[in-house]
Amino acid sequence: MADKNLLLYFTDGCHLCDDAVRLLQQTNTPYSKVDIIHDQRLVDLYGYSIPVIEDKNGNTINWPFSLQELNDFIHIHTQ
């Protein structure tokens, strides 16, 4: 995952994914984006649940989540 703490699984044209990006930006936490459309395994896993955020240990938070829920996830899983 390089130097990023989180991965955001998304795809272009997903308005919920855009909402998740806005929430992530508010946390000031480094993250990388992975477009699931380029990997059939990811489409199978997340096609109906994106946006999904994953930490470096494989813990995930699935949409819908609030800014507070995201902050709690980040605090617990990126320390």
Side-chain angles (χ1 to χ4, degrees):
M1 200 176 306
D3 62 342
K4 305 296 184 183
N5 291 324
L6 302 173
L7 285 177
L8 169 65
Y9 294 103
F10 82 105
T11 198
D12 286 333
C14 167
H15 71 280
L16 299 176
C17 299
D18 296 338
D19 292 344
V21 166
R22 284 189 281 280
L23 291 178
L24 276 166
Q25 290 170 339
Q26 291 178 56
T27 70
N28 294 316
T29 303
Y31 70 95
S32 298
K33 292 168 67 174
V34 176
D35 191 337
I36 67 168
I37 200 69
H38 303 293
D39 184 329
Q40 186 59 49
R41 182 184 66 82
L42 294 177
V43 171
D44 293 344
L45 282 172
Y46 301 124
Y48 295 103
S49 60
I50 57 171
V52 174
I53 297 173
E54 180 180 72
D55 74 4
K56 61 187 174 191
N57 295 315
N59 299 300
T60 59
I61 184 171
N62 294 36
W63 192 262
F65 47 82
S66 67
L67 180 57
Q68 182 61 54
E69 291 167 325
L70 180 56
N71 276 321
D72 291 346
F73 176 84
I74 291 167
H75 178 74
I76 291 167
H77 296 287
T78 63
Q79 303 303 311

Coordinates of all heavy atoms in Angstrom, one line a residue:
M1 N 0.8 -1.2 0.0 CA 0.0 0.0 0.0 C 0.9 1.3 0.0 O 0.4 2.3 0.2 CB -0.9 0.0 1.2 CG -2.1 0.9 1.1 SD -3.3 0.8 2.5 CE -3.6 -1.0 2.6
A2 N 2.2 1.1 -0.2 CA 3.1 2.2 -0.2 C 3.0 3.0 1.1 O 2.9 2.4 2.1 CB 2.9 3.1 -1.4
D3 N 3.1 4.3 1.0 CA 3.1 5.1 2.2 C 1.7 5.6 2.6 O 1.5 6.4 3.5 CB 4.0 6.4 2.0 CG 3.5 7.3 0.8 OD1 2.7 6.8 0.0 OD2 4.0 8.4 0.8
K4 N 0.7 5.1 1.9 CA -0.7 5.5 2.2 C -1.2 4.6 3.3 O -1.0 3.4 3.3 CB -1.6 5.4 0.9 CG -1.0 6.2 -0.3 CD -1.0 7.7 0.0 CE -0.6 8.4 -1.3 NZ -0.4 9.8 -1.1
N5 N -2.0 5.2 4.1 CA -2.6 4.4 5.2 C -3.9 3.6 4.8 O -4.2 2.6 5.4 CB -3.0 5.4 6.4 CG -1.8 5.9 7.1 OD1 -0.8 5.2 7.2 ND2 -1.9 7.1 7.5
L6 N -4.6 4.1 3.8 CA -5.9 3.6 3.4 C -6.0 3.4 1.9 O -5.3 4.1 1.2 CB -7.0 4.5 3.9 CG -7.1 4.8 5.3 CD1 -8.1 5.9 5.6 CD2 -7.4 3.6 6.2
L7 N -6.8 2.4 1.5 CA -7.2 2.3 0.1 C -8.7 2.6 0.0 O -9.5 2.1 0.9 CB -7.0 0.8 -0.3 CG -5.6 0.4 -0.6 CD1 -5.6 -1.1 -1.0 CD2 -4.9 1.2 -1.7
L8 N -9.0 3.3 -1.0 CA -10.4 3.5 -1.3 C -10.8 2.7 -2.6 O -10.2 3.0 -3.7 CB -10.7 5.0 -1.6 CG -12.1 5.3 -2.2 CD1 -13.2 5.0 -1.2 CD2 -12.2 6.8 -2.5
Y9 N -11.6 1.8 -2.5 CA -12.1 1.0 -3.6 C -13.3 1.8 -4.2 O -14.3 2.1 -3.5 CB -12.5 -0.4 -3.3 CG -11.4 -1.2 -2.8 CD1 -11.1 -1.5 -1.5 CD2 -10.5 -1.8 -3.8 CE1 -10.0 -2.3 -1.1 CE2 -9.4 -2.5 -3.4 CZ -9.2 -2.8 -2.1 OH -8.1 -3.5 -1.7
F10 N -13.3 2.1 -5.5 CA -14.3 3.0 -6.1 C -14.4 2.6 -7.6 O -13.6 1.7 -8.1 CB -13.8 4.4 -6.0 CG -12.8 4.9 -7.0 CD1 -13.2 5.7 -8.1 CD2 -11.5 4.4 -7.0 CE1 -12.3 6.0 -9.1 CE2 -10.6 4.8 -7.9 CZ -11.0 5.6 -9.0
T11 N -15.2 3.3 -8.3 CA -15.2 3.3 -9.7 C -15.7 4.6 -10.2 O -16.4 5.4 -9.5 CB -16.0 2.1 -10.3 OG1 -15.6 1.9 -11.7 CG2 -17.5 2.4 -10.2
D12 N -15.3 5.0 -11.4 CA -15.7 6.3 -12.0 C -17.2 6.4 -12.2 O -17.8 5.3 -12.5 CB -15.0 6.5 -13.4 CG -13.5 6.9 -13.2 OD1 -13.1 7.5 -12.2 OD2 -12.8 6.6 -14.2
G13 N -17.8 7.5 -11.9 CA -19.2 7.7 -12.1 C -20.0 7.3 -10.9 O -21.2 7.4 -10.9
C14 N -19.4 6.9 -9.8 CA -20.0 6.5 -8.6 C -20.2 7.7 -7.7 O -19.2 8.1 -7.1 CB -19.2 5.4 -7.9 SG -19.7 5.0 -6.2
H15 N -21.4 8.2 -7.6 CA -21.6 9.4 -6.8 C -21.3 9.2 -5.3 O -20.9 10.0 -4.5 CB -22.9 10.1 -7.0 CG -24.1 9.3 -6.4 ND1 -24.6 8.2 -7.1 CD2 -24.8 9.4 -5.3 CE1 -25.6 7.7 -6.3 NE2 -25.7 8.4 -5.2
L16 N -21.6 8.0 -4.8 CA -21.3 7.6 -3.4 C -19.8 7.6 -3.2 O -19.3 8.0 -2.1 CB -21.9 6.3 -3.1 CG -23.4 6.2 -3.2 CD1 -23.9 4.8 -2.9 CD2 -24.1 7.2 -2.2
C17 N -19.0 7.2 -4.2 CA -17.6 7.2 -4.1 C -17.1 8.6 -4.0 O -16.1 8.9 -3.2 CB -17.0 6.5 -5.3 SG -17.4 4.7 -5.4
D18 N -17.7 9.5 -4.8 CA -17.3 10.9 -4.7 C -17.6 11.5 -3.2 O -16.8 12.2 -2.7 CB -18.1 11.8 -5.7 CG -17.8 11.4 -7.1 OD1 -16.7 10.9 -7.4 OD2 -18.6 11.7 -8.0
D19 N -18.7 11.0 -2.6 CA -19.0 11.4 -1.3 C -17.9 10.9 -0.3 O -17.5 11.6 0.6 CB -20.4 10.9 -0.8 CG -21.5 11.6 -1.6 OD1 -21.3 12.7 -2.2 OD2 -22.6 11.0 -1.5
A20 N -17.5 9.7 -0.5 CA -16.5 9.1 0.3 C -15.1 9.8 0.2 O -14.4 10.1 1.2 CB -16.3 7.6 0.0
V21 N -14.8 10.3 -1.0 CA -13.6 11.0 -1.2 C -13.7 12.3 -0.4 O -12.7 12.7 0.2 CB -13.4 11.3 -2.7 CG1 -12.3 12.4 -2.9 CG2 -13.0 10.0 -3.4
R22 N -14.8 13.0 -0.5 CA -14.9 14.3 0.3 C -14.8 14.0 1.8 O -14.1 14.8 2.5 CB -16.3 14.9 0.0 CG -16.3 15.6 -1.4 CD -17.6 16.4 -1.6 NE -18.8 15.6 -1.9 CZ -19.0 15.2 -3.1 NH1 -18.2 15.4 -4.1 NH2 -20.1 14.5 -3.3
L23 N -15.3 12.9 2.3 CA -15.1 12.6 3.7 C -13.6 12.3 4.0 O -13.1 12.8 5.0 CB -16.0 11.4 4.1 CG -17.5 11.7 4.1 CD1 -18.2 10.4 4.5 CD2 -17.9 12.8 5.1
L24 N -13.0 11.5 3.2 CA -11.6 11.2 3.3 C -10.7 12.5 3.3 O -9.8 12.6 4.2 CB -11.1 10.3 2.3 CG -11.4 8.8 2.5 CD1 -11.1 8.0 1.3 CD2 -10.5 8.3 3.6
Q25 N -11.0 13.4 2.4 CA -10.3 14.6 2.4 C -10.4 15.4 3.7 O -9.5 16.1 4.1 CB -10.7 15.5 1.2 CG -10.3 14.9 -0.1 CD -10.9 15.5 -1.3 OE1 -11.9 16.2 -1.3 NE2 -10.3 15.3 -2.5
Q26 N -11.6 15.4 4.3 CA -11.8 16.1 5.6 C -10.9 15.5 6.7 O -10.7 16.2 7.7 CB -13.2 16.1 5.9 CG -14.1 16.9 5.0 CD -15.6 16.8 5.4 OE1 -15.9 17.1 6.6 NE2 -16.4 16.4 4.5
T27 N -10.5 14.2 6.6 CA -9.8 13.6 7.7 C -8.3 13.9 7.5 O -7.5 13.6 8.5 CB -9.9 12.1 7.7 OG1 -9.3 11.5 6.5 CG2 -11.4 11.7 7.7
N28 N -7.8 14.4 6.4 CA -6.4 14.6 6.1 C -5.5 13.4 6.3 O -4.4 13.4 6.7 CB -5.9 15.7 7.0 CG -6.5 17.1 6.7 OD1 -6.6 17.4 5.6 ND2 -6.9 17.8 7.7
T29 N -6.1 12.2 6.0 CA -5.4 10.9 6.1 C -5.0 10.5 4.7 O -5.8 10.5 3.8 CB -6.3 9.8 6.7 OG1 -6.8 10.3 7.9 CG2 -5.6 8.5 6.8
P30 N -3.7 10.2 4.5 CA -3.3 9.7 3.2 C -4.0 8.5 2.7 O -4.3 7.6 3.5 CB -1.8 9.4 3.4 CG -1.4 10.1 4.7 CD -2.6 10.1 5.5
Y31 N -4.4 8.5 1.5 CA -5.1 7.3 0.9 C -4.8 7.2 -0.6 O -4.3 8.1 -1.2 CB -6.6 7.4 1.1 CG -7.3 8.4 0.3 CD1 -7.9 8.1 -0.9 CD2 -7.3 9.8 0.8 CE1 -8.5 9.1 -1.6 CE2 -8.0 10.7 0.0 CZ -8.6 10.4 -1.2 OH -9.2 11.4 -1.9
S32 N -4.9 6.0 -1.1 CA -4.8 5.7 -2.5 C -6.2 5.2 -3.0 O -7.0 4.6 -2.2 CB -3.8 4.6 -2.7 OG -2.5 4.9 -2.3
K33 N -6.4 5.4 -4.3 CA -7.7 5.0 -4.9 C -7.4 3.8 -5.8 O -6.4 3.7 -6.5 CB -8.3 6.1 -5.7 CG -8.7 7.2 -4.8 CD -9.1 8.5 -5.6 CE -10.2 8.3 -6.5 NZ -10.6 9.6 -7.2
V34 N -8.3 2.8 -5.7 CA -8.2 1.6 -6.6 C -9.5 1.5 -7.3 O -10.6 1.3 -6.7 CB -7.9 0.3 -5.8 CG1 -8.0 -0.9 -6.7 CG2 -6.6 0.4 -5.0
D35 N -9.5 1.7 -8.6 CA -10.7 1.5 -9.4 C -11.0 0.0 -9.6 O -10.2 -0.7 -10.3 CB -10.6 2.2 -10.8 CG -11.9 2.3 -11.5 OD1 -12.8 1.5 -11.3 OD2 -12.0 3.2 -12.4
I36 N -12.1 -0.5 -9.1 CA -12.3 -1.9 -9.1 C -12.6 -2.4 -10.5 O -12.5 -3.6 -10.8 CB -13.5 -2.3 -8.2 CG1 -14.8 -1.7 -8.7 CG2 -13.2 -1.9 -6.8 CD1 -16.1 -2.2 -8.0
I37 N -12.9 -1.5 -11.5 CA -13.3 -2.0 -12.8 C -12.2 -2.7 -13.5 O -12.5 -3.5 -14.5 CB -13.9 -0.8 -13.6 CG1 -14.7 -1.3 -14.8 CG2 -12.7 0.1 -14.1 CD1 -16.0 -1.9 -14.4
H38 N -11.0 -2.5 -13.1 CA -9.8 -3.1 -13.8 C -9.5 -4.5 -13.3 O -8.5 -5.1 -13.7 CB -8.6 -2.2 -13.7 CG -8.9 -0.8 -14.3 ND1 -9.1 -0.6 -15.6 CD2 -9.0 0.4 -13.7 CE1 -9.4 0.7 -15.8 NE2 -9.3 1.3 -14.7
D39 N -10.2 -5.0 -12.3 CA -9.9 -6.3 -11.7 C -11.2 -7.0 -11.4 O -12.0 -6.6 -10.5 CB -9.1 -6.0 -10.4 CG -8.6 -7.3 -9.7 OD1 -9.3 -8.3 -9.8 OD2 -7.6 -7.2 -9.1
Q40 N -11.5 -8.1 -12.1 CA -12.7 -8.8 -12.0 C -12.9 -9.3 -10.5 O -14.0 -9.3 -10.0 CB -12.8 -10.0 -12.9 CG -14.2 -10.7 -12.9 CD -15.3 -9.8 -13.2 OE1 -15.3 -9.0 -14.2 NE2 -16.4 -9.8 -12.4
R41 N -11.8 -9.7 -9.9 CA -11.9 -10.2 -8.5 C -12.5 -9.0 -7.6 O -13.3 -9.3 -6.7 CB -10.6 -10.6 -8.0 CG -10.6 -11.1 -6.6 CD -9.2 -11.5 -6.1 NE -8.3 -10.3 -6.0 CZ -8.3 -9.5 -4.9 NH1 -9.1 -9.7 -3.9 NH2 -7.5 -8.4 -4.9
L42 N -12.0 -7.8 -7.8 CA -12.5 -6.7 -7.0 C -13.9 -6.3 -7.4 O -14.7 -6.0 -6.5 CB -11.6 -5.4 -7.2 CG -10.2 -5.6 -6.7 CD1 -9.4 -4.3 -7.0 CD2 -10.2 -5.9 -5.2
V43 N -14.3 -6.5 -8.7 CA -15.7 -6.3 -9.0 C -16.6 -7.3 -8.3 O -17.6 -6.9 -7.8 CB -15.9 -6.4 -10.6 CG1 -17.4 -6.4 -11.0 CG2 -15.2 -5.2 -11.3
D44 N -16.2 -8.5 -8.3 CA -16.9 -9.5 -7.6 C -17.0 -9.2 -6.1 O -18.1 -9.5 -5.5 CB -16.3 -10.9 -7.8 CG -16.4 -11.4 -9.2 OD1 -17.2 -10.8 -10.0 OD2 -15.6 -12.3 -9.6
L45 N -16.0 -8.8 -5.5 CA -16.0 -8.5 -4.1 C -16.8 -7.2 -3.7 O -17.5 -7.2 -2.7 CB -14.5 -8.3 -3.6 CG -13.7 -9.5 -3.3 CD1 -12.3 -9.1 -3.0 CD2 -14.3 -10.3 -2.2
Y46 N -16.6 -6.1 -4.5 CA -17.0 -4.8 -4.1 C -18.0 -4.2 -5.0 O -18.5 -3.1 -4.8 CB -15.9 -3.9 -3.9 CG -14.8 -4.3 -2.9 CD1 -13.5 -4.5 -3.2 CD2 -15.2 -4.6 -1.6 CE1 -12.6 -4.9 -2.3 CE2 -14.3 -5.0 -0.6 CZ -13.0 -5.1 -1.0 OH -12.1 -5.5 0.0
G47 N -18.4 -4.9 -6.1 CA -19.3 -4.3 -7.1 C -20.6 -3.7 -6.6 O -21.0 -2.7 -7.1
Y48 N -21.1 -4.3 -5.5 CA -22.4 -3.8 -5.0 C -22.2 -3.0 -3.7 O -23.2 -2.6 -3.1 CB -23.4 -4.9 -4.8 CG -23.8 -5.5 -6.2 CD1 -23.2 -6.7 -6.6 CD2 -24.7 -4.8 -7.0 CE1 -23.6 -7.3 -7.8 CE2 -25.0 -5.4 -8.2 CZ -24.5 -6.6 -8.6 OH -24.8 -7.1 -9.8
S49 N -21.0 -2.9 -3.2 CA -20.8 -2.3 -1.9 C -19.9 -1.0 -1.9 O -19.6 -0.5 -0.9 CB -20.3 -3.3 -0.9 OG -19.0 -3.8 -1.4
I50 N -19.3 -0.7 -3.1 CA -18.4 0.5 -3.1 C -19.2 1.8 -2.8 O -20.4 1.8 -3.0 CB -17.7 0.7 -4.4 CG1 -18.7 0.8 -5.6 CG2 -16.6 -0.4 -4.6 CD1 -18.1 1.1 -6.9
P51 N -18.6 2.7 -2.2 CA -17.2 2.8 -1.8 C -16.9 1.9 -0.6 O -17.7 1.8 0.4 CB -16.9 4.2 -1.5 CG -18.2 4.8 -1.1 CD -19.3 4.0 -1.8
V52 N -15.7 1.4 -0.6 CA -15.2 0.6 0.6 C -13.8 1.1 0.9 O -13.0 1.4 -0.1 CB -15.1 -0.9 0.2 CG1 -14.4 -1.7 1.4 CG2 -16.5 -1.5 0.0
I53 N -13.5 1.3 2.1 CA -12.2 1.8 2.6 C -11.5 0.7 3.3 O -12.1 0.0 4.2 CB -12.3 3.1 3.4 CG1 -12.8 4.2 2.6 CG2 -10.9 3.5 4.0 CD1 -13.1 5.5 3.3
E54 N -10.2 0.4 3.0 CA -9.5 -0.7 3.6 C -8.2 -0.2 4.2 O -7.5 0.7 3.6 CB -9.2 -1.7 2.6 CG -8.4 -2.9 3.1 CD -8.1 -3.9 2.0 OE1 -7.2 -3.6 1.1 OE2 -8.7 -5.0 2.0
D55 N -7.9 -0.6 5.4 CA -6.6 -0.3 6.0 C -5.5 -1.2 5.6 O -5.8 -2.2 4.9 CB -6.7 -0.1 7.6 CG -6.8 -1.5 8.3 OD1 -6.7 -2.5 7.6 OD2 -7.0 -1.5 9.5
K56 N -4.3 -1.0 6.0 CA -3.2 -1.8 5.6 C -3.2 -3.3 6.1 O -2.5 -4.1 5.7 CB -1.9 -1.2 6.0 CG -1.7 -1.0 7.5 CD -0.4 -0.2 7.8 CE -0.4 0.1 9.3 NZ 0.7 1.1 9.6
N57 N -4.1 -3.5 7.1 CA -4.3 -4.9 7.7 C -5.5 -5.6 7.1 O -5.8 -6.7 7.6 CB -4.4 -4.8 9.2 CG -3.1 -4.3 9.8 OD1 -2.0 -4.7 9.4 ND2 -3.2 -3.4 10.7
G58 N -6.2 -5.0 6.2 CA -7.3 -5.6 5.6 C -8.7 -5.4 6.2 O -9.7 -5.9 5.8
N59 N -8.7 -4.5 7.3 CA -10.0 -4.1 7.9 C -10.7 -3.2 6.9 O -10.0 -2.3 6.3 CB -9.7 -3.4 9.2 CG -9.0 -4.3 10.2 OD1 -9.5 -5.4 10.5 ND2 -7.8 -4.0 10.6
T60 N -12.0 -3.3 6.8 CA -12.7 -2.4 5.9 C -13.9 -1.7 6.6 O -14.4 -2.2 7.6 CB -13.3 -3.2 4.8 OG1 -14.2 -4.3 5.3 CG2 -12.2 -3.9 3.9
I61 N -14.3 -0.6 6.0 CA -15.5 0.1 6.4 C -16.3 0.3 5.1 O -15.7 0.8 4.1 CB -15.2 1.4 7.1 CG1 -16.6 2.1 7.5 CG2 -14.4 2.4 6.3 CD1 -16.4 3.3 8.5
N62 N -17.5 -0.2 5.1 CA -18.3 -0.1 3.9 C -19.3 1.0 4.0 O -19.8 1.4 5.0 CB -19.1 -1.4 3.7 CG -18.2 -2.6 3.4 OD1 -17.1 -2.7 4.0 ND2 -18.7 -3.5 2.6
W63 N -19.7 1.6 2.8 CA -20.7 2.6 2.7 C -22.0 2.1 3.1 O -22.3 0.9 2.8 CB -20.7 3.2 1.3 CG -21.5 4.4 1.2 CD1 -22.8 4.5 0.8 CD2 -21.1 5.7 1.5 NE1 -23.2 5.8 0.8 CE2 -22.1 6.6 1.3 CE3 -19.9 6.3 2.0 CZ2 -22.1 8.0 1.5 CZ3 -19.8 7.6 2.2 CH2 -20.9 8.4 1.9
P64 N -22.8 2.8 3.8 CA -22.7 4.2 4.2 C -21.9 4.4 5.5 O -22.1 3.5 6.4 CB -24.1 4.7 4.3 CG -24.9 3.4 4.8 CD -24.2 2.3 4.1
F65 N -21.1 5.4 5.6 CA -20.5 5.8 6.8 C -20.4 7.3 6.9 O -20.4 8.0 5.9 CB -19.1 5.2 7.0 CG -18.2 5.4 5.7 CD1 -17.5 6.6 5.5 CD2 -18.1 4.3 4.8 CE1 -16.7 6.7 4.4 CE2 -17.3 4.5 3.7 CZ -16.6 5.7 3.5
S66 N -20.5 7.8 8.1 CA -20.4 9.2 8.4 C -19.0 9.7 8.6 O -18.1 8.8 8.7 CB -21.2 9.6 9.7 OG -20.6 9.0 10.8
L67 N -18.8 10.9 8.7 CA -17.4 11.5 9.0 C -17.0 10.9 10.3 O -15.8 10.5 10.5 CB -17.4 13.0 8.9 CG -16.1 13.6 9.2 CD1 -15.0 13.2 8.2 CD2 -16.2 15.2 9.1
Q68 N -17.8 10.9 11.3 CA -17.5 10.4 12.6 C -17.1 9.0 12.6 O -16.1 8.5 13.2 CB -18.6 10.7 13.6 CG -18.2 10.2 15.1 CD -17.0 11.0 15.6 OE1 -17.0 12.2 15.6 NE2 -16.0 10.2 16.0
E69 N -17.9 8.2 11.9 CA -17.6 6.7 11.7 C -16.3 6.5 11.0 O -15.5 5.6 11.4 CB -18.7 6.0 11.0 CG -20.0 5.9 11.8 CD -21.2 5.5 11.1 OE1 -21.3 5.8 9.9 OE2 -22.0 4.8 11.6
L70 N -16.0 7.3 10.0 CA -14.7 7.2 9.3 C -13.6 7.6 10.2 O -12.5 6.9 10.2 CB -14.8 8.1 8.0 CG -13.5 8.1 7.2 CD1 -13.1 6.7 6.7 CD2 -13.7 9.0 5.9
N71 N -13.7 8.7 10.9 CA -12.7 9.1 11.8 C -12.4 8.0 12.9 O -11.3 7.8 13.2 CB -13.0 10.4 12.5 CG -12.7 11.6 11.7 OD1 -11.6 11.7 11.0 ND2 -13.5 12.6 11.7
D72 N -13.5 7.4 13.4 CA -13.3 6.3 14.4 C -12.5 5.2 13.8 O -11.6 4.6 14.4 CB -14.6 5.9 14.9 CG -15.3 6.9 15.8 OD1 -14.7 7.9 16.2 OD2 -16.6 6.7 16.0
F73 N -12.9 4.8 12.5 CA -12.2 3.7 11.8 C -10.7 4.0 11.7 O -9.9 3.2 11.9 CB -12.9 3.5 10.5 CG -12.2 2.5 9.6 CD1 -12.4 1.1 9.8 CD2 -11.3 2.8 8.6 CE1 -11.8 0.2 9.0 CE2 -10.6 1.9 7.8 CZ -10.9 0.6 8.0
I74 N -10.4 5.3 11.2 CA -9.1 5.7 11.0 C -8.3 5.7 12.3 O -7.2 5.2 12.4 CB -9.0 7.1 10.4 CG1 -9.5 7.0 8.9 CG2 -7.6 7.7 10.4 CD1 -9.8 8.3 8.3
H75 N -8.9 6.2 13.4 CA -8.2 6.2 14.7 C -7.9 4.8 15.2 O -6.8 4.6 15.7 CB -9.1 7.0 15.7 CG -8.5 7.0 17.1 ND1 -7.4 7.8 17.4 CD2 -8.7 6.3 18.2 CE1 -7.1 7.6 18.6 NE2 -7.9 6.7 19.1
I76 N -8.8 3.9 15.0 CA -8.6 2.5 15.5 C -7.6 1.7 14.6 O -6.8 1.0 15.1 CB -9.9 1.8 15.6 CG1 -10.8 2.4 16.7 CG2 -9.7 0.3 15.8 CD1 -12.3 1.9 16.6
H77 N -7.7 1.9 13.3 CA -7.0 1.0 12.4 C -5.7 1.6 11.8 O -5.1 0.9 11.0 CB -7.9 0.6 11.3 CG -9.1 -0.2 11.8 ND1 -8.9 -1.5 12.3 CD2 -10.4 0.1 12.0 CE1 -10.1 -2.0 12.7 NE2 -11.0 -1.1 12.5
T78 N -5.4 2.8 12.0 CA -4.1 3.3 11.4 C -3.1 3.8 12.4 O -2.2 4.5 12.1 CB -4.4 4.5 10.4 OG1 -5.0 5.6 11.2 CG2 -5.3 4.0 9.3
Q79 N -3.3 3.4 13.7 CA -2.3 3.8 14.7 C -1.1 2.9 14.7 O -1.2 1.8 14.4 CB -3.0 3.9 16.1 CG -4.2 4.8 16.1 CD -3.9 6.2 15.7 OE1 -2.9 6.8 16.2 NE2 -4.7 6.8 14.8

